[in-house]
Amino acid sequence: MFCLLYFLTILVLELLIFYLSLQYAWDASEEYLFKAMVAFAMRRYSNKETTQISNVLLCNMTERVSFWFVVTDSAKNVTTVPGSEVEAAIRMNRNRINSAFLLTDNTLQFLKISSTLSPPIESSVPVWLIVFSVVLCLVVAGILFLVVSGIRQRKKESAETGDLEDKCDTPVTTENGIPCDILDLKAGQINGVYAADDERFTPL
Amino acid sequence: MENPRPLWDNPLQFVFACISYAVGLGNVWRFPYLCQMYGGGGFLIPYLIMLIVEGMPLLYLELAVGQHMRQGSIGAWKIISPYLSGVGIASVVVSFFLSMYYNVINAWAFWYLFHSFQDPLPWASCPLNSNHTDYDEECAKTSSTQYFWYRKTLNISPSIEEYGSIQWEQAVCLILAWLVVYLCILRGTESTGKVVYVTASLPYFVLIIYLIRGLTLHGAVNGLIYMFTPKIEQLANPKTWINAATQIFFSLGLGFGSLIAFASYNEPNNNCERHAMIVSLINSSTSIFASIVTFSIYGFKATFNYENCLSKVILLLTNVFDLEEGALTADNLDSMKDYLTSTYPNQYAELLPQIKNCSLEAELDTAVQGTGLAFIVYSEAIKNMEVSQLYSVLYFVMLLMLGIGSMLGNTAAILTPLTDSKFLSTHLPKEVISGIVCFINCIVGLVFTMEAGNYWFDIFNDYAATLSLLLIVLVETIAVCYVYGLKRFEKDLLLMLGHKPNWYWKIMWAFVSPVLIISLVIFYLTDYIRTGTLQYQAWDATQGQLVTKDYPSYALAVIGLLVAASTMCIPLGALIIFIMKRLKRNVSTLE
């Protein structure tokens, strides 16, 4: 009877279940738990210990597991509690209700209560800056090391060649434009021009 | 007393350097797209034919020229004929343009890499709007990965005219990218030779890991079957063959002068013929390998989105019609839809606009290439994997290695002629020359970090190197075969390698490759002329998608300048040398 008369002030509850994540079957005991949770929420919100489980009424239960529910106020001549109060109470204790049913904001939907989305956790210093600074320091250190060692090497070379220039005329001997120290003089160089083409030489 | 030319420590360093240069981002983000668009598995036929007909001969030619002349591109072409020094200069100019914009990709890879160390990944979900009631408006219209790319990374402006301000985050990533490149090229072949061991091999490790992970993903097989099913009728489409030829051409990095530079550090008797074949084969097989990975990722992403779409439809129907949980499944969805249409026609008709037709083919058909593939599609697939941080880090490290490997080749193409020139090398040590080149490139590259920077990036990407390279390589081939003389070139190869090139190479160099390149040039020109005004894709934040817009006139002027700057070097160089020789002759006859 209340459902028909007071449908404007009630909230619709829908249980949405993704791929049978509901780990239990919905039966009368679950309904009892739901009534208890709503009563608990009302008690916490109003800080009065007056709401009883019998004050919460469920109706129009469907197979989807969706239903309407109403909270009555036994103190004030059996009238219903305004929807806004129920809304506020549930919003305050949403977490507790969700965890009682092992569901989340996505899977347990109160159709008139939009959930505020939780913002992502942001650390004070962006993580990427930290990694960036580490890599930057490594790279700059590497560059400085190479540059400094290059300068030192060049100073050593110019100091050495300063002494050697008096002693040697041609410190690097070249053969046909190819420096000797690269050629493997022991093994010898196979000159393909002579090896490949035997017909160059006039036959006897 | 002259310093001997620096050399690679062993031939393996040279091969790795060439592989590291040739195997770049194009293998990962362009080849899979072409494969998908032009016939799936059937695309491999024109691709392999073009590899043998065009890729290998031209690569061999460039390596042989570099190895024999033992100079960078400017010096090498000067030796072949003094009138051709313009070709070398054109190569350097194109390499300069390329290095200006290419390192921006490395900057983006760094950005994504640094952001991969968070849980959850920042592109996994949309940020909330200011009063935390819903997701951010722009993000809600598009996907979280696209939002992260267009808004958080690029902070792109709605059109190229509104250039906005420099994004400091991108700017510092760009500076870091250039510092890394400088670190690698600082000592010339000494440092580059060691770095290429890493940049050449690491991408393969990551690709293998991704291959194993990709093939075991749910729905990967859908992608592989769809993409590789050959559509033989595409072979009759001339665009297929043209795209195969251009892909081989640009993938090997011919004409930039990098290959000549690398080969000039070789020992004179290095077997560049064998190395040319090895490098081109490895390059092409890496493309095919990368496309297997990409298609399995596509398949996973498409299946994931398809199943998401289905479950949303199921949820909607279940809620509206108050059905029991589990009554609607993916299998009986169609029959249940018919049943619901007949039992509740009015309600169903009201609901119809909200019910999307989920189609796996539609998801698989979204062909993406370029930065969209690398940064949007892959990151979308990665966010749905388990341990997504690890895969994300691996993937972006791989992109970095590919990008830096190619940058090493580009900078070598610029620096080798500069360090070869006696004027510069006597006055400045090579560290300073490298530093100046990196610095100039970095400053110019800051343009690409502005809000409209990505549009300028696309201009450079599409126009700076395409036509110019074709012309440069055409002139190169004709120069070697006809100006220098094929017989003379044969003798040089005999001197270096110990055997003459066989008839196959000679026919390819003298006839087939020039004809092929000329037809590619004609195709490009007719394409430019036919499309009339050039257009670009601009990101519209209000709609959450790309829209096509026309380039303003100054952008068209820049495009024209880019193409002209490099191609005009060739005739200008010849003209200047001709005039100088004339003047010298006049002076000498007067005396």
Side-chain angles (χ1 to χ4, degrees):
Chain A
M1 179 187 91
F2 281 116
C3 299
L4 291 168
L5 292 173
Y6 296 104
F7 68 90
L8 286 169
T9 58
I10 59 181
L11 300 163
V12 176
L13 165 74
E14 281 202 347
L15 279 172
L16 314 169
I17 298 147
F18 283 167
Y19 293 119
L20 302 168
S21 59
L22 194 61
Q23 286 137 347
Y24 43 83
W26 188 263
D27 56 10
S29 310
E30 302 292 337
E31 289 177 28
Y32 192 80
L33 177 60
F34 182 76
K35 290 185 195 175
M37 291 307 295
V38 173
F40 163 77
M42 292 305 299
R43 283 193 182 200
R44 275 271 174 267
Y45 177 69
S46 56
N47 280 327
K48 292 183 289 187
E49 307 274 312
T50 53
T51 323
Q52 305 291 328
I53 290 184
S54 49
N55 286 120
V56 183
L57 304 168
L58 309 181
C59 34
N60 273 3
M61 180 76 59
T62 64
E63 272 185 348
R64 181 71 186 86
V65 197
S66 72
F67 47 82
W68 301 80
F69 70 94
V70 177
V71 181
T72 58
D73 197 348
S74 42
K76 289 183 188 169
N77 276 348
V78 203
T79 52
T80 56
V81 177
S84 51
E85 275 189 41
V86 183
E87 234 180 278
I90 292 187
R91 215 191 273 266
M92 212 172 74
N93 296 291
R94 190 60 191 274
N95 241 4
R96 301 290 296 271
I97 301 177
N98 281 349
S99 30
F101 290 99
L102 305 172
L103 294 171
T104 65
D105 275 359
N106 274 338
T107 41
L108 173 60
Q109 242 187 20
F110 289 88
L111 281 186
K112 288 228 186 100
I113 305 177
S114 57
S115 49
T116 52
L117 304 161
S118 55
I121 309 162
E122 280 202 25
S123 57
S124 50
V125 180
V127 177
W128 77 271
L129 266 182
I130 299 174
V131 187
F132 167 77
S133 326
V134 168
V135 175
L136 185 66
C137 291
L138 287 173
V139 172
V140 170
I143 291 177
L144 286 175
F145 169 72
L146 281 180
V147 167
V148 165
S149 64
I151 294 176
R152 260 200 230 141
Q153 210 175 23
R154 214 165 289 137
K155 277 203 191 132
K156 240 192 265 177
E157 268 174 23
S158 60
E160 278 177 13
T161 51
D163 305 330
L164 283 174
E165 259 175 2
D166 306 325
K167 299 175 191 170
C168 283
D169 284 333
T170 49
V172 176
T173 49
T174 54
E175 177 187 312
N176 287 337
I178 305 165
C180 275
D181 44 7
I182 293 156
L183 297 174
D184 186 5
L185 290 166
K186 289 180 208 157
Q189 284 283 30
I190 298 173
N191 195 334
V193 178
Y194 294 105
D197 210 336
D198 286 343
E199 291 169 18
R200 284 270 198 85
F201 301 108
T202 47
L204 288 169
Chain B
M1 176 189 107
E2 268 187 38
N3 278 329
R5 190 174 183 77
L7 293 174
W8 301 110
D9 291 340
N10 53 53
L12 195 65
Q13 279 190 357
F14 166 65
V15 176
F16 270 29
C18 289
I19 291 175
S20 173
Y21 168 66
V23 174
L25 294 163
N27 299 64
V28 172
W29 76 29
R30 175 98 176 130
F31 181 77
Y33 169 78
L34 289 177
C35 209
Q36 189 183 351
M37 294 292 288
Y38 294 109
F43 184 71
L44 292 177
I45 300 175
Y47 186 69
L48 291 172
I49 292 178
M50 287 300 165
L51 171 68
I52 299 174
V53 160
E54 179 200 5
M56 283 193 203
L58 290 174
L59 184 62
Y60 183 17
L61 186 84
E62 282 218 5
L63 290 183
V65 166
Q67 192 173 304
H68 186 257
M69 308 304 170
R70 313 199 78 226
Q71 297 258 304
S73 51
I74 298 182
W77 295 108
K78 223 188 253 183
I79 295 175
I80 290 202
S81 157
Y83 293 103
L84 289 176
S85 46
V87 175
I89 297 176
S91 291
V92 173
V93 170
V94 172
S95 291
F96 198 71
F97 288 153
L98 188 83
S99 53
M100 267 190 243
Y101 78 83
Y102 201 83
N103 222 12
V104 179
I105 305 174
N106 288 333
W108 292 330
F110 268 124
W111 169 263
Y112 269 81
L113 177 66
F114 297 149
H115 278 84
S116 306
F117 289 98
Q118 295 173 21
D119 179 30
L121 291 172
W123 55 83
S125 58
C126 278
L128 303 173
N129 61 13
S130 42
N131 48 5
H132 288 195
T133 50
D134 200 358
Y135 292 121
D136 180 282
E137 203 185 313
E138 187 181 352
C139 193
K141 294 212 177 80
T142 170
S143 65
S144 53
T145 42
Q146 283 194 309
Y147 175 79
F148 188 76
W149 169 247
Y150 285 111
R151 190 53 49 214
K152 288 287 161 101
T153 310
L154 300 175
N155 197 14
I156 205 164
S157 62
S159 73
I160 199 172
E161 287 100 340
E162 303 157 48
Y163 40 83
S165 57
I166 292 183
Q167 306 301 304
W168 71 267
E169 298 99 341
Q170 297 305 312
V172 294
C173 286
L174 182 65
I175 293 173
L176 176 65
W178 273 112
L179 284 174
V180 170
V181 170
Y182 183 55
L183 177 67
C184 300
I185 60 174
L186 188 47
R187 287 286 191 82
T189 47
E190 209 185 299
S191 49
T192 311
K194 310 263 181 339
V195 171
V196 292
Y197 283 131
V198 177
T199 58
S201 47
L202 194 72
Y204 289 100
F205 288 132
V206 178
L207 275 175
I208 291 175
I209 293 175
Y210 260 87
L211 183 72
I212 299 173
R213 175 76 268 226
L215 289 176
T216 53
L217 283 172
H218 168 66
V221 183
N222 293 339
L224 284 171
I225 295 175
Y226 186 74
M227 312 293 186
F228 276 122
T229 321
K231 302 175 189 78
I232 299 288
E233 63 275 5
Q234 284 287 346
L235 285 181
N237 180 4
K239 279 210 162 191
T240 311
W241 295 87
I242 290 170
N243 275 306
T246 44
Q247 174 61 13
I248 290 278
F249 187 89
F250 293 124
S251 179
L252 286 173
L254 303 162
F256 284 102
S258 316
L259 295 163
I260 296 180
F262 281 153
S264 70
Y265 297 120
N266 266 339
E267 303 213 15
N269 61 347
N270 182 49
N271 192 348
C272 54
E273 177 177 356
R274 187 159 21 118
H275 289 157
M277 294 201 286
I278 292 175
V279 169
S280 46
L281 278 173
I282 289 183
N283 183 46
S284 297
S285 34
T286 310
S287 292
I288 299 173
F289 184 34
S291 59
I292 296 178
V293 175
T294 306
F295 292 156
S296 47
I297 299 275
Y298 268 161
F300 166 67
K301 176 181 103 68
T303 311
F304 188 85
N305 288 344
Y306 170 67
E307 285 175 358
N308 252 9
C309 174
L310 273 183
S311 59
K312 281 204 187 111
V313 171
I314 289 177
L315 192 64
L316 183 65
L317 289 175
T318 320
N319 281 347
V320 170
F321 295 109
D322 274 336
L323 300 166
E324 194 185 333
E325 196 53 47
L328 281 176
T329 62
D331 305 317
N332 66 11
L333 186 62
D334 288 320
S335 50
M336 286 300 283
K337 270 197 202 169
D338 298 330
Y339 164 72
L340 289 169
T341 335
S342 48
T343 4
Y344 309 100
N346 293 332
Q347 276 177 300
Y348 196 83
E350 273 177 30
L351 211 50
L352 210 51
Q354 288 180 47
I355 298 180
K356 286 181 262 182
N357 268 331
C358 301
S359 153
L360 188 59
E361 271 79 40
E363 293 280 341
L364 286 169
D365 255 338
T366 52
V368 196
Q369 62 163 334
T371 49
L373 170 59
F375 293 107
I376 298 179
V377 171
Y378 260 92
S379 53
E380 193 173 322
I382 288 172
K383 78 171 198 236
N384 296 325
M385 296 183 193
E386 288 112 47
V387 202
S388 43
Q389 282 78 17
L390 172 68
Y391 289 110
S392 183
V393 167
L394 277 178
Y395 173 68
F396 290 110
V397 166
M398 177 186 82
L399 280 191
L400 268 176
M401 292 296 113
L402 291 173
I404 290 180
S406 302
M407 278 306 294
L408 295 179
N410 286 329
T411 44
I414 305 172
L415 287 173
T416 308
L418 289 179
T419 48
D420 284 344
S421 94
K422 301 216 175 28
F423 170 70
L424 276 176
S425 53
T426 41
H427 286 90
L428 296 168
K430 65 173 181 270
E431 284 91 343
V432 176
I433 301 179
S434 322
I436 293 175
V437 169
C438 289
F439 181 71
I440 295 176
N441 275 321
C442 190
I443 297 294
V444 177
L446 286 177
V447 169
F448 302 113
T449 59
M450 294 194 304
E451 287 181 26
N454 196 42
Y455 301 128
W456 290 104
F457 175 85
D458 282 331
I459 287 182
F460 272 72
N461 195 20
D462 292 334
Y463 302 109
T466 41
L467 194 60
S468 336
L469 278 181
L470 289 169
L471 289 171
I472 290 174
V473 176
L474 180 65
V475 173
E476 282 184 7
T477 330
I478 295 178
V480 168
C481 292
Y482 300 108
V483 174
Y484 188 70
L486 201 54
K487 289 243 181 292
R488 214 167 133 196
F489 192 59
E490 269 185 295
K491 287 208 191 103
D492 292 337
L493 284 173
L494 184 60
L495 194 68
M496 283 200 296
L497 304 176
H499 62 266
K500 282 193 182 176
N502 67 25
W503 57 269
Y504 174 75
W505 299 116
K506 288 191 274 195
I507 293 180
M508 290 299 134
W509 290 330
F511 302 115
V512 180
S513 299
V515 166
L516 203 57
I517 299 176
I518 290 175
S519 48
L520 286 179
V521 170
I522 293 174
F523 159 73
Y524 263 97
L525 288 175
T526 48
D527 214 36
Y528 280 166
I529 295 169
R530 230 176 337 127
T531 46
T533 51
L534 299 168
Q535 295 178 314
Y536 68 103
Q537 303 279 76
W539 177 255
D540 188 345
T542 50
Q543 288 180 46
Q545 60 179 21
L546 292 166
V547 294
T548 318
K549 290 195 177 163
D550 289 332
Y551 276 125
S553 46
Y554 60 84
L556 292 173
V558 169
I559 294 175
L561 209 66
L562 280 176
V563 180
S566 41
T567 45
M568 284 302 124
C569 288
I570 306 176
L572 273 179
L575 195 65
I576 290 175
I577 300 288
F578 180 69
I579 292 175
M580 276 170 54
K581 287 211 164 166
R582 261 295 188 77
L583 287 174
K584 266 198 207 153
R585 230 189 298 157
N586 287 343
V587 168
S588 58
T589 49
L590 279 174
E591 290 169 1

